[in-house]
């Protein structure tokens, strides 16, 4: 597998055509049959990747088909590098598209598949090297595994330096061991391409790692788009929080400040009992203040599991908890706990931290978080 800064990837990028190529959608509506999206506006700068997250049927593939010209836009416009594409046929759009199903020609070798269309004259060596597909060039797609075919399809989408790259779940058939390395290779290829990419995924890790921007699509409506960090750390609503993989979503009531507490403290609780006290009521969404309830969103990676006797620390919020169970998930342990108020909480721990905790199911723990890692949703 090619390394993150594989020289071949650099050479491949150097041969990509230079020039501005922003993707701009203005009130674009797309649809399949009777299904139709809401209008969407978007500006994706050259070189940026938009990772689109959404449930099944949200309209992700239909959007890619519309950008590629396989489905007609129902309304609005689509510009790429200042060129209006809205009504151009697919072959005039200079778009590389990796479909959800690899769509390689089954009776052609991998080499001939790569040489099809835009790839007829394009240099291939650097791309073949970066994606590690050299050994399969003379094989037919049917002689490859699903994951191997996906890599070839990825190369075919990238060949000839398209102005816009569309990737529909590019890693869905890649085995879990190869996925992190391939993700990094692709991230580097996309970064060096200098052209926009729209990538559809169900995996928040793909979206976080590959997306400069993240868009969350729900039944044809873009709920939130923005910098990946903003969408992941500050999801606009509950659906976005779920789609971006927030594990802890605690529905809490806004309680009156306790006696003698500063008036601007925010006291959140359950059944009248205090769960969290936060500095500053300003962090609460205005409609949550009015409704006197909100959902507290905390990513599992922001909860630090500590031994129950750990001394308190300034500016940290500590929650008493009891361990339910712990499971190894690749490089991290996922700790499932129950808070004193009865709500469940999940925290990640690195293997060394998990070992040094030395706790078992039923043992007491402290879950620590920084106030800035906690986000209140209406
Ligand atoms: N051939 C079709 N005829 C009619 N409606 C369709 C057709 N294909 C898809 N749809 C509808 O269009 C909507 C958008 O489908 P689309 O395939 O874009 O969703 P998606 O977000 O890509 O889903 P998935 O994650 O399952 O691939 C869906 O609600 C679906 O019901």
């Amino acid at each position: 597998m090619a390394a993150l800064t594989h020289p071949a990837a650099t050479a491949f990028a150097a041969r990509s055509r230079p020039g501005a190529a922003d993707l701009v959608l203005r009130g674009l509506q797309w649809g399949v049959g009777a299904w139709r999206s809401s209008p969407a506006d978007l500006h994706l700068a050259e070189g940026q990747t938009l990772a689109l997250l959404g449930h099944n049927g949200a309209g992700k593939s239909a959007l890619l088909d519309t950008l590629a010209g396989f489905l007609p836009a129902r309304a609005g416009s689509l510009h790429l590098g200042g060129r209006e594409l809205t009504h151009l046929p697919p072959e005039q759009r200079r778009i590389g598209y990796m479909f959800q199903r690899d769509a390689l020609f089954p009776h052609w070798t991998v080499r001939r598949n790569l040489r099809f269309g835009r790839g007829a004259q394009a240099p291939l060596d650097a791309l073949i090297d970066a994606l590690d597909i050299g050994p399969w060039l003379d094989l037919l797609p049917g002689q490859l595994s699903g994951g191997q075919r996906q890599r070839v399809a990825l190369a075919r989408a990238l060949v000839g330096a398209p102005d816009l790259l569309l990737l529909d779940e590019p890693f869905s058939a890649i085995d879990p061991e190869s996925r992190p390395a391939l993700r990094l290779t692709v991230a580097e290829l996309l970064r060096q391409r200098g052209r926009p990419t729209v990538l559809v995924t169900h995996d928040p890790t793909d979206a976080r790692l590959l997306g400069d921007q993240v868009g969350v699509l729900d039944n044809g409506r873009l709920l939130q788009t923005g910098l990946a960090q903003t969408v992941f750390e500050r999801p606009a609503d509950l659906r976005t929080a779920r789609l971006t993989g927030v594990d802890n979503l605690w529905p809490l009531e806004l309680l009156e400040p306790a006696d003698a507490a500063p008036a601007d403290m925010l006291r959140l609780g359950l059944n009248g009992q205090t769960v969290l006290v936060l500095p500053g009521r300003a962090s609460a969404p205005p409609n949550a203040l009015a409704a006197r309830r909100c959902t507290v969103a905390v990513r599992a990676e922001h909860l630090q599991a500590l031994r129950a006797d750990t001394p308190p620390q300034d500016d940290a919020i500590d929650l008493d908890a009891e361990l339910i169970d712990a499971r190894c998930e690749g490089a991290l342990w996922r700790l499932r706990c129950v808070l004193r108020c009865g709500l469940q909480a999940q925290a990640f721990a690195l293997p060394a931290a998990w070992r040094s905790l030395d706790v078992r199911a039923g043992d007491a723990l402290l879950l620590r978080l920084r106030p800035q890692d906690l986000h209140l949703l209406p």
Side-chain angles (χ1 to χ4, degrees):
M1 172 56 50
L4 178 59
T5 50
H6 196 291
T10 312
F12 163 69
R15 283 201 283 276
S16 299
R17 285 176 290 123
D22 294 9
L23 173 71
V24 180
L25 312 187
R26 290 199 193 98
L28 186 78
Q29 278 185 280
W30 63 99
V32 200
W35 184 90
R36 188 183 181 120
S37 78
S38 300
D41 293 294
L42 181 81
H43 188 147
L44 194 59
E46 60 169 354
Q48 280 201 326
T49 296
L50 169 75
L52 264 184
L53 282 165
H55 289 302
N56 294 126
K60 305 178 297 296
S61 299
L63 171 59
L64 295 197
D65 282 349
T66 307
L67 298 181
F70 297 125
L71 284 174
R74 298 283 176 96
S77 68
L78 155 64
H79 290 78
L80 184 60
R83 217 164 54 103
E84 175 154 14
L85 302 189
T86 323
H87 304 295
L88 285 184
E91 63 277 12
Q92 289 178 25
R93 295 192 179 202
R94 297 203 294 267
I95 286 174
Y97 193 171
M98 179 182 172
F99 298 90
Q100 204 169 17
R101 291 172 178 229
D102 61 48
L104 297 169
F105 294 108
H107 50 290
W108 286 0
T109 62
V110 167
R111 191 192 309 277
R112 196 162 169 212
N113 266 287
L114 294 177
R115 282 284 172 221
F116 176 70
R118 216 180 32 250
Q121 304 297 329
L124 292 182
D125 290 353
L127 192 53
I128 288 167
D129 210 10
L131 287 168
D132 226 1
I133 57 175
W136 316 323
L137 289 177
D138 296 315
L139 299 181
L140 296 173
Q143 294 174 290
L144 301 177
S145 72
Q148 290 169 335
R149 278 203 303 276
Q150 239 179 356
R151 273 195 217 190
V152 174
L154 188 55
R156 195 174 74 170
L158 279 160
V159 86
D163 289 347
L164 173 66
L165 182 64
L166 305 174
L167 304 176
D168 202 347
E169 299 188 41
F171 310 124
S172 57
I174 306 290
D175 57 77
E177 295 90 79
S178 313
R179 202 169 166 134
L182 183 63
R183 219 188 248 138
L184 288 177
T185 303
V186 171
E188 186 59 16
L189 283 170
L190 298 188
R191 193 184 66 74
Q192 295 179 351
R193 232 172 64 80
R195 300 296 164 98
T197 299
V198 181
L199 171 140
V200 161
T201 178
H202 287 278
D203 184 341
T205 312
D206 289 346
R208 187 74 194 256
L209 202 130
L210 294 166
D212 302 292
Q213 290 194 44
V214 169
V216 177
L217 200 59
D218 184 45
N219 193 21
R221 198 162 68 86
L222 266 178
L223 293 180
Q224 188 175 6
T225 42
L227 292 176
Q229 184 170 358
T230 308
V231 178
F232 273 75
E233 310 272 324
R234 296 280 177 262
D237 52 41
L238 214 48
R239 286 186 79 78
T240 306
R242 290 203 175 101
L243 281 163
T244 54
V246 179
D247 289 298
N248 298 299
L249 293 165
W250 301 321
L252 295 177
E253 305 145 10
L254 267 65
L255 305 177
E256 290 306 318
D259 290 345
D264 74 335
M265 294 299 262
L266 197 62
R267 196 158 70 98
L268 299 167
L270 195 66
N271 303 324
Q273 299 300 308
T274 304
V275 175
L276 284 165
V277 179
L278 303 177
R281 296 176 71 80
S283 59
N287 39 357
L289 286 175
R292 312 234 26 95
R293 71 170 77 97
C294 66
T295 299
V296 173
V298 183
R299 302 192 70 84
E301 61 268 31
H302 289 153
L303 273 184
Q304 186 187 9
L306 298 165
R307 293 182 63 85
D309 55 2
T310 307
Q313 183 183 296
D314 281 352
D315 300 332
I317 299 170
D318 288 341
L319 300 167
D320 293 321
E322 186 182 300
L323 183 69
I324 300 173
D325 58 24
R327 286 167 206 276
C328 185
E329 285 187 10
L332 294 172
W333 283 80
R334 181 187 289 271
L335 277 54
R336 239 168 23 104
C337 307
V338 58
L339 301 180
R340 192 189 284 166
C341 64
L343 288 169
Q344 281 208 12
Q346 300 192 45
F348 283 132
L350 288 166
W354 163 241
R355 268 196 306 277
S356 69
L357 269 176
D358 192 24
V359 287
R360 269 161 250 294
D363 285 352
L365 280 176
L366 213 59
L367 295 178
R368 177 166 289 173
L369 77 151
R370 303 179 314 161
Q372 60 267 40
D373 290 333
L374 173 153
H375 179 54
L376 301 185
L377 295 168

